[in-house]
Amino acid sequence: MRMDVQRIHILPAHEAQKIAAGEVVERPANVVKELIENALDAGATSISIYLEEGGKKLIRCIDNGCGMSAIDARLSIAPHATSKISSVQDLSSLTTFGFRGEALASMASVCQMELITRLEGSPAIKLTIRAGAITHETIVAANKGTDITLKDLFYNVPARQKFLKTTKTEWNAIKQLIDAYALAYPSLHITLYHQQERIAQYNPAETIAQRASDIFESSVSKRLIALHKQDAVAQATMTGIISDHQVNRYDRSQLYFFVNNRWIKNHKLGTALLRGYRNVLPEGRFPYAAIAITVPPHTIDINIHPRKEEVQFLHPRLIEGLIEEVVAKALPQQAATPVTHFVHSFSTPTIPVQAFHIPVHPLPQTTTCVAPEIPLPVLPEKQVSTHTQVPQARILSQLKQTYIMIETEAGLMLIDQHAAHERILYETIGTRYKNAESIQLLFPELITLPRGHTINEEQYELLRNFGIEAEPWSENQIRISATPVYLKPHMLSALVEELTAHTHNIAHKVQAMLACKAAVKAGDVLNDSEMQELVHKWLAIENRLTCPHGRPTSWLMSNYEIEKNFKRIV
Ligand code: ADP
Ligand code: MG
């Protein structure tokens, strides 16, 4: 007969804690995050952080918060020890970062820890902790606040230690985290040291924008736009900064979102922000942004991620919609400022936009100018800015058959003729193509679809919107029987190709492609009146800063820059 077999046993508490620690502490940046959050919860206004080897060897965080009594200090490293909640109900009204009471316990179990802390009116206590247990305790002299040192992360969990990345990678993750908190808490004084060198010193600032100028390099910080919006429907307040169309980067790493002051990662918020940048940045390029969203605590769930890096909104769509709207609204207005500043008083006559007759025919042909295939249509009424401050400019000449040089009151401006014309056409194609009169083709065009592609009903509908009558013909061909007059046959196959190449934003892409094909090109020589027509139509568009693909349409050398470079001013 078989004896009773026992294969299950309860793990010793210290082993279980080391395993559980993996949930909270995966890398040094997670430790730094927990320490900063504890300091903020303790009401600290100043934090100093010291790191060695990207935090792998040493992490020390000194704060001037409320500190702990000796009893609390001893308890603080026990699992589930927290002063912040008493029951799970408290989560719905939580205003602190911490609530699980597991950060210090987790850290203490996977590194060598030293905790010095002093509560106002009490002596300071120093605890030495090894593998989660207090091995030594003394009374010391210390300032009010807490000073925690962690050495040799994962020294007793080799399986985890080997997953730590290079010093540089771990350091970068920490630097990004510190910058995020610095942006979320402009008034927090932060000093950061790595390998005994002071890397950052962020003095208290009043706004995110001021703080951003300490964090981002000046080429970026001077291009930041401040945002502020309170929205009753979304029950949210949004403040922060975003970069304008002139700066961008290859990755999303400088998009920071904070929800109720908590730095969170939420891909959808990032996507909403990028939607706000549609038409402003080239595809695959990303802005700089730090956006703080404040919502009532009961409208978010912060307990969905082990490291509390994500939150779930009760009404995510409302928040995403708000971000998109706020960003989209902020961009053209702010960035257009230099241009709307041009006013009258040039020595040679300038032509105000409303006085300028915009012909309905194509740009005048010259022997060298390739005329656009889409006539420049009359601009819709709403797009001509009838203010007394009419953008005005004096055309100087064409540079490299690519740029138009103009003098404005703000300085010398170069306009990329192709990009600007693309934008003009893009803005007008939307309305014009949709109302376009189609003509029946005498010989319908058969367009072969790119291999492996089909056209679905939605895409046919889109073609109809553009005035194109199309139907399936064979497995890989469609038949086009009517088009708007200005659509040239060679543009049809390009259009269909564009239509099948994308799954998102198709209308925009098709519209951008048509504008691109029809616009004057770099290398086209333009005569004076062509340049004037182009410039004045461009100036009359609200959304003129970039081409539909996001390239800048113009570059202003401000009077200030010119005079500074010639050392007329200091
Ligand atoms: P939580 O933050 O979720 O409560 P932690 O393990 O991070 O859990 O901290 C446990 C407790 O230790 C906290 O609730 C707080 O009372 C105390 N504590 C931790 N860090 C500090 C600090 N820097 N200053 C004052 N008290 C602290
Ligand atoms: Mg905590």
Side-chain angles (χ1 to χ4, degrees):
M1 205 176 86
R2 225 173 140 197
M3 292 291 288
D4 220 9
V5 176
Q6 181 186 348
R7 282 181 295 134
I8 296 179
H9 57 267
I10 309 281
L11 281 174
H14 61 274
E15 286 302 313
Q17 187 57 40
K18 275 199 269 179
I19 293 169
E23 290 269 293
V24 181
V25 181
E26 197 185 351
R27 59 193 302 192
N30 308 138
V31 173
V32 178
K33 175 174 183 282
E34 295 293 340
L35 295 178
I36 295 179
E37 292 190 345
N38 277 347
L40 287 167
D41 282 346
T45 55
S46 178
I47 299 183
S48 303
I49 294 161
Y50 298 81
L51 304 160
E52 296 288 333
E53 293 182 20
K56 291 187 287 185
K57 194 159 190 303
L58 179 131
I59 300 171
R60 181 178 180 195
C61 178
I62 306 173
D63 70 56
N64 66 349
C66 64
M68 285 178 263
S69 67
I71 300 177
D72 276 353
R74 290 182 205 114
L75 262 180
S76 69
I77 55 154
H80 313 298
T82 181
S83 55
K84 298 168 193 173
I85 60 165
S86 304
S87 77
V88 81
Q89 258 100 336
D90 296 345
L91 284 186
S92 58
S93 55
L94 194 74
T95 52
T96 53
F97 283 108
F99 56 85
R100 294 196 187 126
E102 41 178 40
L104 289 192
S106 301
M107 291 173 203
S109 70
V110 292
C111 64
Q112 329 242 22
M113 192 193 261
E114 219 171 72
L115 169 69
I116 300 171
T117 187
R118 187 165 80 81
L119 185 74
E120 188 92 79
S122 307
I125 186 171
K126 175 175 163 185
L127 303 180
T128 306
I129 300 137
R130 292 286 173 272
I134 301 169
T135 56
H136 195 69
E137 183 181 318
T138 45
I139 299 287
V140 291
N143 291 331
K144 187 193 93 168
T146 302
D147 175 352
I148 298 191
T149 305
L150 292 92
K151 284 188 196 149
D152 301 322
L153 188 61
F154 297 134
Y155 78 102
N156 55 352
V157 197
R160 285 234 149 232
Q161 198 176 36
K162 69 173 185 236
F163 281 101
L164 289 175
K165 308 260 167 44
T166 60
T167 293
K168 189 164 184 283
T169 307
E170 298 298 354
W171 158 248
N172 285 342
I174 295 176
K175 178 68 169 53
Q176 198 199 11
L177 176 106
I178 304 276
D179 287 348
Y181 278 85
L183 287 164
Y185 288 86
S187 62
L188 183 67
H189 183 266
I190 305 175
T191 321
L192 176 64
Y193 295 83
H194 189 211
Q195 319 282 54
Q196 278 139 42
E197 193 190 330
R198 193 173 77 189
I199 306 291
Q201 160 95 34
Y202 299 139
N203 290 318
E206 272 173 22
T207 59
I208 293 190
Q210 284 168 4
R211 189 37 83 77
S213 63
D214 275 348
I215 294 176
F216 300 128
E217 53 195 60
S218 73
S219 58
V220 175
S221 62
K222 69 181 183 201
R223 314 254 23 138
L224 295 177
I225 301 169
L227 307 178
H228 183 79
K229 169 94 179 167
Q230 205 162 359
D231 189 89
V233 180
Q235 284 188 282
T237 306
M238 212 169 267
T239 37
I241 40 111
I242 54 169
S243 56
D244 73 8
H245 64 294
Q246 301 266 21
V247 280
N248 55 61
R249 37 184 304 116
Y250 283 103
D251 60 35
R252 287 175 173 243
S253 69
Q254 297 302 311
L255 303 184
Y256 296 98
F257 291 99
F258 312 97
V259 176
N260 292 0
N261 285 352
R262 199 181 279 279
W263 180 36
I264 53 127
K265 295 184 180 149
N266 182 319
H267 199 75
K268 288 199 171 144
L269 294 188
T271 309
L273 176 110
L274 295 176
R275 277 200 300 272
Y277 274 88
R278 185 182 306 150
N279 291 339
V280 173
L281 287 187
E283 248 184 72
R285 302 304 298 253
F286 302 92
Y288 292 73
I291 295 184
I293 303 163
T294 311
V295 291
H298 69 270
T299 64
I300 46 168
D301 185 354
I302 35 160
N303 197 16
I304 56 162
H305 189 274
R307 287 183 298 280
K308 297 172 261 161
E309 286 171 1
E310 286 173 24
V311 296
Q312 192 166 334
F313 291 98
L314 199 58
H315 302 294
R317 291 277 162 75
L318 287 180
I319 302 290
E320 287 155 32
L322 188 63
I323 292 190
E324 178 180 347
E325 182 196 318
V326 171
V327 168
K329 278 207 178 124
L331 281 169
Q333 279 170 19
Q334 180 84 6
T337 310
V339 181
T340 47
H341 276 167
F342 321 159
V343 216
H344 26 77
S345 80
F346 293 115
S347 49
T348 46
T350 53
I351 310 161
V353 171
Q354 70 267 54
F356 191 78
H357 172 69
I358 302 166
V360 201
H361 52 73
L363 285 172
Q365 286 242 10
T366 65
T367 43
T368 43
C369 172
V370 178
E373 286 150 302
I374 298 180
L376 291 179
V378 182
L379 289 166
E381 274 290 295
K382 71 172 176 65
Q383 290 182 352
V384 183
S385 62
T386 53
H387 287 270
T388 44
Q389 265 207 351
V390 171
Q392 297 191 27
R394 186 164 70 93
I395 289 164
L396 302 175
S397 76
Q398 197 186 16
L399 180 74
K400 299 182 77 171
Q401 300 171 6
T402 301
Y403 309 101
I404 303 171
M405 289 167 68
I406 62 173
E407 181 188 339
T408 75
E409 197 168 71
L412 176 68
M413 185 180 271
L414 292 185
I415 297 173
D416 181 314
Q417 64 193 40
H418 174 70
H421 196 194
E422 252 187 319
R423 174 51 77 186
I424 298 169
L425 295 172
Y426 178 87
E427 291 296 315
T428 48
I429 279 170
T431 39
R432 196 168 157 84
Y433 265 39
K434 277 175 198 150
N435 306 328
E437 260 183 50
S438 298
I439 49 158
Q440 290 297 320
L441 299 176
L442 208 50
F443 303 104
E445 285 273 336
L446 289 185
I447 308 278
T448 304
L449 297 173
R451 189 186 287 269
H453 284 278
T454 50
I455 294 221
N456 61 31
E457 198 30 57
E458 214 177 309
Q459 290 164 321
Y460 278 117
E461 181 62 31
L462 191 85
L463 287 175
R464 275 192 286 279
N465 277 341
F466 280 104
I468 299 163
E469 283 304 325
E471 60 190 341
W473 186 249
S474 69
E475 208 175 300
N476 63 344
Q477 281 183 316
I478 64 166
R479 179 176 180 270
I480 295 184
S481 50
T483 68
V485 259
Y486 27 78
L487 209 62
K488 299 282 178 282
H490 78 268
M491 289 166 78
L492 280 176
S493 52
L495 184 141
V496 169
E497 224 170 85
E498 196 71 9
L499 197 67
T500 51
H502 304 284
T503 49
H504 298 294
N505 250 342
I506 302 175
H508 155 70
K509 284 179 174 141
V510 167
Q511 208 168 307
M513 186 278 291
L514 290 173
C516 177
K517 288 240 175 279
V520 291
K521 305 284 180 290
D524 291 346
V525 175
L526 303 181
N527 64 27
D528 283 356
S529 59
E530 288 162 345
M531 285 194 279
Q532 259 179 359
E533 184 185 338
L534 201 147
V535 168
H536 286 284
K537 279 182 176 166
W538 176 75
L539 282 174
I541 309 173
E542 218 174 279
N543 195 8
R544 63 175 161 264
L545 295 159
T546 57
C547 78
H549 308 100
R551 274 203 312 114
T553 48
S554 62
W555 176 36
L556 177 74
M557 253 168 284
S558 69
N559 292 328
Y560 174 77
E561 278 172 273
I562 295 171
E563 293 191 16
K564 192 148 192 279
N565 279 303
F566 284 107
K567 307 233 178 292
R568 287 177 174 275
I569 50 170
V570 278

